[in-house]
Amino acid sequence: MGLMRAQNRQGAGHRDGRRFGLKVAEPVENGGLLEYFFGKDGRTCLQHERFVQFLRDLHDEVCVYISNFLLQFLL
């Protein structure tokens, strides 16, 4: 994560894994997505199909959320 963060200006400002404005006690590296994609030890390779399926599921959830939000105003 540190290497990825160092590659851009915004990430370089968050070297310790913490972001301003968020009330977190631990670095972002301890989040669930990293464990989901790279395993508990962080050494598992990212699988393309698993990542693509995650993006599809996320897209579907966002579409449902937006649809439900817009329906509130139409009904």
Side-chain angles (χ1 to χ4, degrees):
M1 277 310 273
L3 177 63
M4 287 189 286
R5 225 185 267 113
Q7 297 300 316
N8 65 55
R9 191 174 38 152
Q10 181 182 5
H14 305 299
R15 287 191 191 116
D16 61 356
R18 296 186 175 104
R19 293 180 253 170
F20 297 112
L22 296 176
K23 296 179 180 174
V24 293
E26 298 180 23
V28 178
E29 282 83 6
N30 294 333
L33 278 180
L34 289 173
E35 185 176 319
Y36 178 77
F37 288 128
F38 300 104
K40 283 193 177 277
D41 62 355
R43 296 179 186 268
T44 304
C45 290
L46 177 63
Q47 298 173 357
H48 181 262
E49 275 304 314
R50 188 171 189 172
F51 183 69
V52 168
Q53 187 60 48
F54 170 79
L55 290 178
R56 286 182 183 138
D57 293 343
L58 179 62
H59 178 264
D60 291 344
E61 283 188 44
V62 169
C63 287
V64 168
Y65 178 80
I66 291 173
S67 297
N68 290 337
F69 180 76
L70 292 175
L71 280 174
Q72 292 176 8
F73 296 104
L74 296 175
L75 298 177

